[in-house]
Amino acid sequence: MITRRFTGLSAVLAGAVLLCTALTAQAREYSVSTVLSDAFPWGQAAEKWAELVEQRSQGRITLRVYPNSQLVNGDQTREFSAMRQGLIDMAVGSTINWSPQVPELNLFSLPFLMPDYAAVDAITGGQAGEQIFAAIASRGVKPLAWGENGFRELSNSKLAIDSPDDLEGLKIRVVGSPLFQDTFTALGANPTQMSWADAKPALTTGAVDGQENPLSVFDVARIDQVGQKYLTLWHYMNDPLIFAVNRTVWQQLPAEDRELLRQAAVDAGAWEIELSRGQRDQRLADIQSRGVEVVELSDAQRQAFAEATRSVYDEWTPQIGEKIVAAAREAVANR
């Protein structure tokens, strides 16, 4: 009798071990890289994705978010390569930061291509957006959904800028992209590439006169505190975010988990876009309340900047792809 009881107990314990092993095997954790923390909409987009995946998988899939480019030692331009190589499982990344590896993403950095949110949506939701996703997929990364870092606006410490002539000789900090160098050179400025870690001290000391970033970054990072007294809303480019997964990781997922991950990314992206755009007016009011002089360009003034940078299109369209640029322009015209 005692022997039978022990035999039954052993069977129950063995079954429990097998069940725990099976559940453990099903549970998976993946790394997600972002450049900004959840103090910014960008970081909040990644956190929302992780939250939705956790909920919808009932805790079976965990996305662990690593902000501030931790997984690439602060070098945000290495993020795409690291994901492609499998050093990072997933990312919510910027078209600017990924453009060195995916030249087609320079589409979004063409100056004055997208005058408003409707133009951005027409591009990302249309044929040009599909072509961009295909270009990313061809390089070993599976794109899932769009988010948004926002229109990049111009600030400086010298004067209110409302015409290309106002930029003559100004030292403007720009991100590490040759297209940005060409754009500001065409406007007569003196573009200076540097990391954001180096930019704030340079703005403080006057080593550079100005910078360009979305309103969310200007606001949260308190760029007005480093001498940036003038802000020009010129909407010269928009930086969409992209939710993406390493191709090998994607291929190893069961079909139902792929769909769960993709739909969660789509929903997180839509949530973050609405959040980012909805905060614009309040951010602008907060910035103005801190003594920043804001200039909002008229259509005619913006057109003057567009004409001054037309040469950038001639140089960069072949690198981006004639078909993609044409599709984008058509989408904007028909929005």
Side-chain angles (χ1 to χ4, degrees):
M1 179 67 109
I2 294 176
T3 302
R4 287 179 183 176
R5 286 178 181 172
F6 274 112
T7 301
L9 180 59
S10 297
V12 170
L13 291 173
V17 169
L18 288 172
L19 178 59
C20 288
T21 301
L23 290 173
T24 302
Q26 289 179 345
R28 293 185 295 275
E29 180 175 307
Y30 299 100
S31 61
V32 180
S33 175
T34 67
V35 169
L36 296 179
S37 72
D38 60 5
F40 303 85
W42 186 343
Q44 291 166 17
E47 294 289 353
K48 187 67 173 181
W49 190 19
E51 175 190 323
L52 293 177
V53 169
E54 179 89 9
Q55 290 174 352
R56 295 174 185 181
S57 70
Q58 298 180 322
R60 188 168 45 82
I61 303 174
T62 298
L63 305 188
R64 188 166 300 282
V65 179
Y66 294 86
N68 303 316
S69 304
Q70 293 177 52
L71 300 180
V72 286
N73 296 318
D75 186 354
Q76 56 210 55
T77 61
R78 289 182 50 229
E79 186 177 68
F80 187 87
S81 295
M83 182 167 44
R84 180 171 57 190
Q85 294 164 4
L87 303 176
I88 294 172
D89 298 321
M90 306 177 191
V92 180
S94 155
T95 59
I96 298 171
N97 293 335
W98 293 1
S99 63
Q101 292 80 39
V102 188
E104 292 87 349
L105 290 174
N106 284 298
L107 172 73
F108 298 101
S109 297
L110 286 174
F112 306 100
L113 171 65
M114 299 165 284
D116 49 36
Y117 291 131
V120 178
D121 295 342
I123 291 175
T124 57
Q127 186 179 39
E130 293 175 0
Q131 292 173 356
I132 291 289
F133 269 24
I136 294 172
S138 72
R139 291 170 173 87
V141 169
K142 175 67 177 178
L144 302 181
W146 297 98
E148 185 170 274
N149 195 24
F151 282 104
R152 297 178 76 91
E153 314 293 12
L154 177 67
S155 74
N156 81 101
S157 60
K158 300 295 186 182
L159 76 166
I161 294 174
D162 61 15
S163 74
D165 291 342
D166 293 333
L167 273 162
E168 186 67 36
L170 286 186
K171 294 171 288 186
I172 304 295
R173 177 265 174 180
V174 296
V175 298
S177 165
L179 197 158
F180 284 70
Q181 288 270 5
D182 292 346
T183 296
F184 280 89
T185 298
L187 290 169
N190 179 13
T192 304
Q193 286 188 9
M194 61 177 65
S195 69
W196 186 241
D198 293 332
K200 291 195 76 174
L203 290 167
T204 302
T205 62
V208 292
D209 301 312
Q211 61 85 51
E212 47 77 53
N213 255 308
L215 283 182
S216 61
V217 175
F218 190 100
D219 184 26
V220 177
R222 295 302 300 269
I223 296 177
D224 53 285
Q225 293 183 339
V226 291
Q228 298 297 282
K229 301 177 182 178
Y230 305 96
L231 177 64
T232 297
L233 306 180
W234 63 343
H235 280 29
Y236 90 114
M237 66 152 293
N238 188 290
D239 181 26
L241 302 176
I242 299 173
F243 294 71
V245 184
N246 166 271
R247 181 165 59 192
T248 300
V249 169
W250 181 256
Q251 291 174 341
Q252 290 174 346
L253 287 168
E256 60 270 23
D257 287 349
R258 292 184 194 175
E259 178 55 24
L260 186 154
L261 200 67
R262 186 198 67 80
Q263 189 58 55
V266 169
D267 294 342
W271 174 86
E272 185 267 342
I273 289 171
E274 182 178 0
L275 173 72
S276 179
R277 295 179 184 180
Q279 292 175 339
R280 179 190 181 277
D281 290 347
Q282 185 59 56
R283 287 196 187 282
L284 190 56
D286 291 344
I287 290 167
Q288 289 176 301
S289 73
R290 300 198 293 266
V292 177
E293 182 177 338
V294 176
V295 175
E296 188 153 13
L297 299 185
S298 66
D299 290 343
Q301 288 171 324
R302 192 174 184 277
Q303 185 59 33
F305 282 95
E307 291 173 1
T309 55
R310 204 163 299 281
S311 61
V312 178
Y313 282 76
D314 297 334
E315 181 173 351
W316 281 89
T317 294
Q319 300 180 52
I320 296 167
E322 300 278 354
K323 290 183 178 179
I324 292 178
V325 174
R329 283 180 154 166
E330 182 178 358
V332 172
N334 296 331
R335 70 188 187 283

